[in-house]
Amino acid sequence: MSKKILTVDDDPDIIVFVKTVLEENGYEPLIARNGESGLIMARAEKPSLILLDVLMPKQSGIRMYRELKSDPELKDIPVIILSGIAKRTFLRSQEALTEFGDEPVPDPSAYIEKPVDPGELAETIARFVK
Amino acid sequence: MMENRLLLIDDEEAILRVLSISLRHEGYVVFTALNGKEALQVFEKENPGIVLTDLKMPGMDGLQVLRRIKEINPDTEVIVITGHGDMDSAIDALRFGASDFINKPVRDEALRIALDRAREKRELRRQLQAYTTDLEQMCRLATEEVRRKSEFQDKLITSSNDGIVATDERGLIILFNPGAEKIFGYSRREIVEKVGFEQIYPEDVAGEFRSGFRRKRDKRGWGWKEVSIRGKGGEIVPVRFSGTLLYEGEKVIGSVGFFQDLREIKRLQRELVQSERLAAIGQTVARLAHYIKNILTGLQGGMYVVNIGLDKDDMDKLKAGWTMVQRNIGRVSDLVMDLLTYSKEREPEYRECYPNQIAEDVCELMEVKAAQNQIEMVRDFDPSIGRVSMDPGAVHRCLLNLVSNAIDACLFDLSENKSWKVSVRTGREGENAVSFQVTDNGAGMTADVKKKLFSAFFSTKGGKGTGLGLLVTHKLVQENGGRIEVESEPGKGSTFTLHFPYRREDGGGSGTEPLAAKEH
């Protein structure tokens, strides 16, 4: 059975693109359009890996990442951040949340800045999904 | 010190001896002589302040001695001793400058009075002389001081960077410092005592001076203001000017004008504006490039998906990829249209239309996206707005931008369990305008965001906005003679209100003339 990979993004272009890349590489894509439904789907499906956008309506990727990493059942799922914002901006916002009293969270497994190259995406996923 | 040196002259030795004993007793230093010749020798040697001489003497008589002594030192007090009743000689002596006379036989009392008087006179003269000397000295010092001050002021005026121009009471220029030479380009030799202020002052300043010269004292001066002067050779020089009339009591005695050269400042300002403009262009280009890169990413993704579809003969993939390509071509097209609208002057195209219908069209267009994201769309249209003449294209575009922004504001609101709502309201504004109001209860804006709202390529939507929407809206509203108002509070939402003027259909007229001309 092919491994499930969850993509959380609100951009229809990215959804179609990532879905195609995943299918091409033999994974089963799961799609969520915001952080809220992404979290529900992660709990329900227990995917092997999560691809997460940062700037999204409803619940942002920053908040969803925290929730993932603080949930004992989900925290071991590797997360690759796939975003238009720079890596250091994301890391800094995580630090800020930690300073405001939240539990510290580990850095994401990988960080890919958009635009994403199909080959690079596939290779990065392969590194974390055995 | 009171004069106490005294020369006593008498041909009778006994009298000499008695008198000198008595005078020494009084505290005088007494020199004696038995005749005129000897007296003059002693006088020249000792130069006593007071001489007491007998008139009748063999050889050189007292009058001759008196005249000689007065020649040698006119300040000497000479008291003559006359024979009893010899009034004529006494008067002669007084005429030749004797200060007093006493009769023989010389009584101590008369002698003391005469001597005291002589001594007082000498003292007075001495004091007078001292005063005169002091006065002369003070006068010289004062003159020197005045000269130094005047020189100092001259140097101040000369070394001032400001141009200083002063006139006399007729307006003739009498002072033109090097600062003024630099600004006006004329040398002081060409100006001073030759030219009136009217010939070099800018017209409005000259006018004010002119009326100031005519009026009675009512105005002290003019504060700094920016004017342009025409220098030698016609160069227009920007300056800061201030000036004042000079009064002595109520009378105008002249005027002075101060000119600060603004050429360098203006040049720096131009350079600053230029470099700011370049920086703004750089920023604009960077943002535009970023947005185009986003579209390109979408196109590349679409191409990738289309290629897979072609390879695998997969119609679904082909369709999905093609949709991506189409969507991103749509974004390019929207961007180009926005850029064109923004960069081109555009005349509003007035047509008869129903503002409520335009608002309805926009709501229908956005309803699907709103519903997908659980955002309620509320319509509140004023039914009394009928058919009017306005630019429906512009109104549609502006309203669509605002409603689309309002939905985004709800989407990007991170509050939890909020029921999001976007309201579109229309209303009449007096007799000739319609308002369109779009309110959301989404994320709201900080003051900082509000400030940049209408600047080019500013977007809070990450790569998803061009940063042109509100800019274009603003421009269209302005071209239509309307205005746009924004209220917003972070976390509470925003309200954008458009005011569009229109021409009433029943008001007649072609409906094509510009609105501004129609205003009462």
Side-chain angles (χ1 to χ4, degrees):
Chain A
M1 201 184 100
S2 55
K3 303 248 161 101
K4 289 179 195 165
I5 292 184
L6 172 61
T7 299
V8 188
D9 205 306
D10 66 318
D11 185 338
D13 286 347
I14 298 289
I15 291 172
V16 175
F17 172 75
V18 171
K19 186 169 170 270
T20 308
V21 173
L22 292 176
E23 284 168 355
E24 282 307 296
N25 289 277
Y27 302 110
E28 183 189 340
L30 302 169
I31 310 292
R33 282 167 206 280
N34 60 54
E36 203 176 84
S37 57
L39 214 55
I40 292 168
M41 207 172 276
R43 288 199 176 104
E45 303 280 346
K46 302 279 171 352
S48 309
L49 184 136
I50 296 172
L51 296 169
L52 180 60
D53 182 24
V54 175
L55 275 185
M56 280 185 301
K58 291 268 172 79
Q59 200 183 27
S60 77
I62 293 166
R63 292 275 283 281
M64 178 174 169
Y65 184 75
R66 293 218 140 232
E67 303 248 350
L68 285 173
K69 289 300 164 190
S70 341
D71 187 326
E73 283 194 35
L74 303 174
K75 68 176 172 32
D76 294 328
I77 302 175
V79 176
I80 299 174
I81 302 288
L82 208 63
S83 177
I85 68 163
K87 182 178 181 181
R88 66 191 147 82
T89 313
F90 173 80
L91 294 180
R92 201 177 300 143
S93 61
Q94 290 295 349
E95 279 166 24
L97 283 175
T98 303
E99 274 170 30
F100 277 111
D102 285 12
E103 287 293 310
V105 290
D107 285 353
S109 306
Y111 199 105
I112 302 176
E113 285 178 27
K114 290 174 183 175
V116 189
D117 174 72
E120 184 195 353
L121 181 59
E123 276 167 33
T124 313
I125 293 170
R127 276 204 278 140
F128 299 101
V129 179
K130 299 287 159 10
Chain B
M1 185 201 75
M2 286 279 260
E3 177 63 49
N4 69 344
R5 285 149 50 85
L6 183 150
L7 171 59
L8 183 61
I9 313 161
D10 204 311
D11 57 335
E12 287 177 61
E13 223 182 323
I15 291 181
L16 265 189
R17 204 177 313 130
V18 172
L19 276 179
S20 51
I21 289 169
S22 156
L23 287 169
R24 281 189 184 113
H25 190 71
E26 296 271 328
Y28 288 96
V29 176
V30 182
F31 305 99
T32 56
L34 278 166
N35 56 60
K37 206 175 152 206
E38 192 193 342
L40 289 177
Q41 280 169 1
V42 176
F43 183 81
E44 284 190 355
K45 190 171 166 235
E46 303 292 345
N47 193 23
I50 300 171
V51 174
L52 198 61
T53 182
D54 191 13
L55 275 183
K56 285 214 170 57
M57 287 188 293
M60 193 183 278
D61 71 4
L63 276 181
Q64 276 175 297
V65 171
L66 165 67
R67 289 169 70 178
R68 282 293 296 134
I69 283 176
K70 279 290 179 185
E71 273 170 27
I72 298 165
N73 186 352
D75 286 348
T76 316
E77 295 296 328
V78 181
I79 301 167
V80 292
I81 303 168
T82 58
H84 183 69
D86 188 1
M87 223 36 194
D88 289 344
S89 301
I91 289 167
D92 276 349
L94 288 176
R95 221 176 38 227
F96 287 124
S99 35
D100 209 346
F101 64 92
I102 46 177
N103 287 322
K104 273 188 177 172
V106 179
R107 283 178 291 122
D108 282 353
E109 181 65 15
L111 181 61
R112 194 180 320 113
I113 289 171
L115 283 173
D116 282 350
R117 223 186 275 157
R119 285 181 357 160
E120 267 167 35
K121 257 165 100 178
R122 279 194 63 84
E123 180 59 20
L124 275 175
R125 191 181 296 127
R126 194 188 63 75
Q127 282 179 2
L128 194 67
Q129 225 156 36
Y131 286 145
T132 309
T133 314
D134 268 7
L135 208 61
E136 278 169 359
Q137 176 71 8
M138 274 158 66
C139 189
R140 209 171 45 242
L141 284 176
T143 310
E144 174 70 10
E145 180 71 13
V146 166
R147 193 187 58 75
R148 270 201 10 247
K149 274 195 175 150
S150 146
E151 223 167 66
F152 182 71
Q153 279 167 2
D154 258 9
K155 278 184 184 144
L156 270 187
I157 292 171
T158 308
S159 56
S160 165
N161 247 338
D162 290 358
I164 301 177
V165 180
T167 74
D168 63 11
E169 76 286 357
R170 295 161 299 164
L172 184 69
I173 292 171
I174 50 168
L175 188 149
F176 196 76
N177 78 337
E181 289 181 328
K182 242 184 283 167
I183 292 172
F184 286 91
Y186 296 103
S187 73
R188 56 189 298 277
R189 226 172 304 140
E190 293 173 279
I191 297 287
V192 169
E193 307 276 0
K194 293 200 174 89
V195 167
F197 69 86
E198 315 219 13
Q199 278 164 269
I200 62 163
Y201 279 20
E203 186 37 51
D204 54 332
V205 170
E208 283 180 46
F209 267 84
R210 208 160 32 234
S211 53
F213 270 108
R214 271 202 304 271
R215 268 191 307 247
K216 271 217 138 188
R217 170 175 215 155
D218 61 340
K219 198 171 179 188
R220 194 74 231 197
W222 296 274
W224 290 104
K225 62 177 177 181
E226 282 193 22
V227 294
S228 293
I229 59 110
R230 187 181 288 274
K232 191 180 187 179
E235 189 196 352
I236 303 292
V237 181
V239 293
R240 263 180 101 222
F241 165 82
S242 130
T244 184
L245 292 174
L246 304 172
Y247 293 94
E248 206 172 69
E250 291 288 303
K251 217 178 98 210
V252 177
I253 55 161
S255 75
V256 61
F258 303 94
F259 297 84
Q260 291 179 341
D261 196 338
L262 295 183
R263 279 175 291 196
E264 183 65 8
I265 290 170
K266 293 277 176 196
R267 192 182 64 75
L268 288 174
Q269 276 175 348
R270 274 198 303 275
E271 264 176 25
L272 192 67
V273 167
Q274 187 68 16
S275 63
E276 273 172 358
R277 195 175 294 153
L278 284 176
I281 290 173
Q283 223 171 31
T284 301
V285 168
R287 284 182 182 149
L288 190 58
H290 181 74
Y291 185 67
I292 292 173
K293 195 183 88 179
N294 269 325
I295 300 176
L296 200 60
T297 307
L299 283 170
Q300 281 164 341
M303 262 165 58
Y304 168 80
V305 177
V306 166
N307 281 336
I308 301 264
L310 286 174
D311 284 352
K312 303 265 166 82
D313 214 1
D314 181 338
M315 203 32 117
D316 286 346
K317 279 271 173 279
L318 212 50
K319 272 185 187 159
W322 186 241
T323 308
M324 282 171 75
V325 172
Q326 278 178 319
R327 188 164 44 234
N328 283 289
I329 286 175
R331 285 168 82 191
V332 174
S333 155
D334 286 349
L335 173 67
V336 171
M337 290 312 289
D338 272 353
L339 284 173
L340 283 178
T341 312
Y342 177 57
S343 58
K344 245 189 357 210
E345 286 296 319
R346 179 179 165 279
E347 280 291 310
E349 291 164 10
Y350 292 98
R351 273 192 289 123
E352 289 169 25
C353 60
Y354 295 90
N356 285 343
Q357 188 57 49
I358 301 171
E360 177 57 34
D361 290 348
V362 170
C363 288
E364 274 174 25
L365 264 175
M366 298 309 295
E367 203 142 43
V368 180
K369 191 180 177 191
Q372 271 175 0
N373 294 284
Q374 294 87 46
I375 298 165
E376 188 191 349
M377 292 261 313
V378 182
R379 298 165 171 80
D380 179 8
F381 302 155
D382 182 345
S384 73
I385 306 171
R387 195 171 64 163
V388 299
S389 176
M390 55 183 4
D391 183 346
V395 175
H396 187 275
R397 183 69 167 286
C398 294
L399 209 50
L400 188 64
N401 276 339
L402 293 187
V403 174
S404 161
N405 279 352
I407 290 175
D408 284 341
C410 294
L411 287 177
F412 278 88
D413 185 6
L414 297 180
S415 328
E416 278 163 44
N417 304 322
K418 199 161 157 183
S419 45
W420 283 282
K421 210 158 81 174
V422 172
S423 323
V424 180
R425 195 169 293 129
T426 65
R428 290 163 71 99
E429 296 250 302
E431 283 303 294
N432 61 348
V434 178
S435 69
F436 300 88
Q437 196 171 62
V438 179
T439 304
D440 67 71
N441 62 347
M445 295 178 285
T446 60
D448 193 38
V449 169
K450 247 172 97 172
K451 216 162 53 193
K452 296 181 199 154
L453 218 46
F454 298 104
S455 52
F457 301 102
F458 173 75
S459 175
T460 56
K461 302 180 192 172
K464 286 152 191 160
T466 51
L468 281 172
L470 280 179
L471 199 69
V472 166
T473 303
H474 191 240
K475 181 168 183 279
L476 287 172
V477 168
Q478 271 189 337
E479 280 171 351
N480 279 271
R483 70 207 150 75
I484 183 165
E485 280 161 19
V486 187
E487 276 170 57
S488 185
E489 202 180 316
K492 293 268 171 68
S494 310
T495 296
F496 283 75
T497 312
L498 302 174
H499 304 268
F500 270 97
Y502 65 83
R503 299 210 43 183
R504 285 157 62 95
E505 273 314 292
D506 52 306
S510 66
T512 54
E513 38 184 292
L515 274 162
K518 184 68 183 169
E519 277 179 10
H520 314 294

